[in-house]
Amino acid sequence: MGAMDVQLESVAKLNVEVLAQGSLLFDGNHTAQKINGFNTDDRERFEKGSMKYGCAHYRRRCRIRAPCCNEIFDCRHCHNEAKNSIGIDTMRRHEIPRHEVQQQVICSLCGTEQEVRQICINCGVCMGKYFCEVCKLFDDDVSKQQYHCHGCGICRIGGRENFFHCSKCVLKNSHSCVEGAMHHDCPICFEYLFESTNDVSVLPCGHTIHENCLKEMEEHCQFSCPLCSKSVCDMSKAWERLDMELASLSDSCDNKMVRILCNDCGAVSEVQFHLIAHKCQNCKSYNTRQI
């Protein structure tokens, strides 16, 4: 990291021609410094077409040539959506693995095909203000605060200073740690979370799920983790309302006792049978099951 920091700090002294000779790892914090170090012509070339090209996944000034089918796409995700869709014959469906992305890129402004680099060798335009040489990732939208996580081996968004890489579960610190929590499919839509471009939520139990999938669950009144059945949010107010509702209902099975397991705290209790719900005697949750 020390060598990289020195390289980034000195980049403002370099002009576009020098930058074109090698690939550098840029992020939004250094972009302004580099632009200010250029003369007017260099700055215009650097900014030319910025945020005007790209796709729904990335704003960038280059396209990729897929190594698998030799076709040109805006990005790896565009290729995968086109070549692994339900409309494609099953024998011809395929995806580009993350670390087998492009070896060649095509400048969106001048059309020059070249080896992966940040600065076009022909027109000198910057093909992405954020560029990761490891992931071969370009993006002009640096508001995402992209950074390369060496622990994950991929680029993340949200700012390096806001995240902590847990070597056990790959999630932020101060959490319920579930080993390999990000190396699983979303329990609702089954997309592989580690490589997903959609926002991921970490449940109180430590399991992970797409944020949109979680919202859809809540819209259908599902408030327990699909994997372990623990509550996904604070349900205390709901339990209080259920207390009042059950108190107003008569129960014809007053003498029948049943054993229940609480999904939230794991306690086993013996309670009076009720047709509607059973309350945990330990944590007062109604998220229970009869055993």
Side-chain angles (χ1 to χ4, degrees):
M1 287 300 294
M4 182 61 72
D5 291 339
V6 173
Q7 189 178 35
L8 290 170
E9 290 172 1
S10 62
V11 74
K13 302 176 183 178
L14 304 177
N15 58 30
V16 174
E17 286 72 21
V18 176
L19 287 174
Q21 295 173 8
S23 298
L24 299 175
L25 181 62
F26 291 0
D27 62 32
N29 296 329
H30 296 278
T31 299
Q33 180 184 4
K34 292 183 302 184
I35 293 175
N36 291 335
F38 294 159
N39 60 39
T40 302
D41 291 340
D42 291 341
R43 189 182 299 111
E44 289 179 356
R45 278 190 289 176
F46 189 91
E47 290 288 352
K48 186 178 180 180
S50 177
M51 298 297 290
K52 296 180 180 178
Y53 296 85
C55 59
H57 308 103
Y58 306 107
R59 306 308 298 170
R60 58 207 290 183
R61 286 165 277 178
C62 66
R63 307 183 75 194
I64 69 168
R65 183 176 294 280
C68 47
C69 55
N70 204 39
E71 295 183 32
I72 298 174
F73 295 88
D74 284 316
C75 74
R76 174 177 66 94
H77 300 293
C78 290
H79 169 277
N80 293 346
E81 289 173 1
K83 295 298 184 179
N84 196 26
S85 67
I86 195 169
I88 302 296
D89 182 86
T90 53
M91 298 300 292
R92 300 179 61 190
R93 292 179 193 172
H94 65 279
E95 292 190 348
I96 304 177
R98 174 180 289 274
H99 292 293
E100 296 178 16
V101 197
Q102 67 272 21
Q103 297 300 321
Q104 296 288 115
V105 294
I106 299 96
C107 176
S108 298
L109 277 75
C110 70
T112 302
E113 187 165 349
Q114 58 204 280
E115 293 184 357
V116 175
R117 61 176 65 237
Q118 185 175 30
I119 307 298
C120 176
I121 58 174
N122 181 48
C123 66
V125 73
C126 173
M127 294 186 280
K129 290 182 180 178
Y130 176 83
F131 170 64
C132 176
E133 190 173 16
V134 177
C135 298
K136 300 181 177 64
L137 176 64
F138 300 79
D139 201 345
D140 273 333
D141 185 7
V142 293
S143 65
K144 299 175 185 177
Q145 295 183 279
Q146 303 94 325
Y147 68 98
H148 183 82
C149 176
H150 296 284
C152 294
I154 62 176
C155 289
R156 298 287 191 187
I157 61 174
R160 186 187 303 276
E161 67 281 1
N162 298 320
F163 292 90
F164 170 83
H165 180 89
C166 176
S167 58
K168 184 177 180 181
C169 71
V170 199
L171 295 174
K172 193 177 179 180
N173 56 347
S174 302
H175 59 277
S176 299
C177 191
V178 175
E179 187 169 1
M182 288 296 291
H183 292 279
H184 291 285
D185 297 338
C186 172
I188 301 300
C189 68
F190 303 109
E191 181 184 6
Y192 187 45
L193 291 173
F194 187 74
E195 296 186 349
S196 175
T197 58
N198 298 313
D199 292 339
V200 175
S201 288
V202 184
L203 304 179
C205 57
H207 290 121
T208 48
I209 184 174
H210 279 133
E211 190 173 295
N212 289 335
C213 292
L214 178 59
K215 289 178 181 178
E216 188 172 342
M217 277 179 50
E218 293 172 346
E219 289 171 0
H220 289 82
C221 299
Q222 298 296 320
F223 299 102
S224 59
C225 172
L227 299 176
C228 67
S229 298
K230 292 183 182 294
S231 297
V232 299
C233 57
D234 181 9
M235 297 291 291
S236 56
K237 296 298 182 182
W239 303 151
E240 290 174 6
R241 289 195 298 270
L242 192 53
D243 275 337
M244 292 186 288
E245 292 177 9
L246 294 182
S248 64
L249 298 176
S250 60
D251 193 344
S252 58
C253 304
D254 292 340
N255 298 324
K256 182 177 180 180
M257 303 297 289
V258 293
R259 282 167 56 82
I260 62 169
L261 170 68
C262 179
N263 294 323
D264 286 335
C265 72
V268 175
S269 308
E270 187 169 332
V271 300
Q272 192 176 70
F273 175 79
H274 200 288
L275 291 172
I276 305 300
H278 299 111
K279 185 175 183 177
C280 173
Q281 298 302 296
N282 181 52
C283 69
K284 312 306 178 185
S285 168
Y286 278 99
N287 182 16
T288 61
R289 68 182 76 181
Q290 189 173 335
I291 57 175

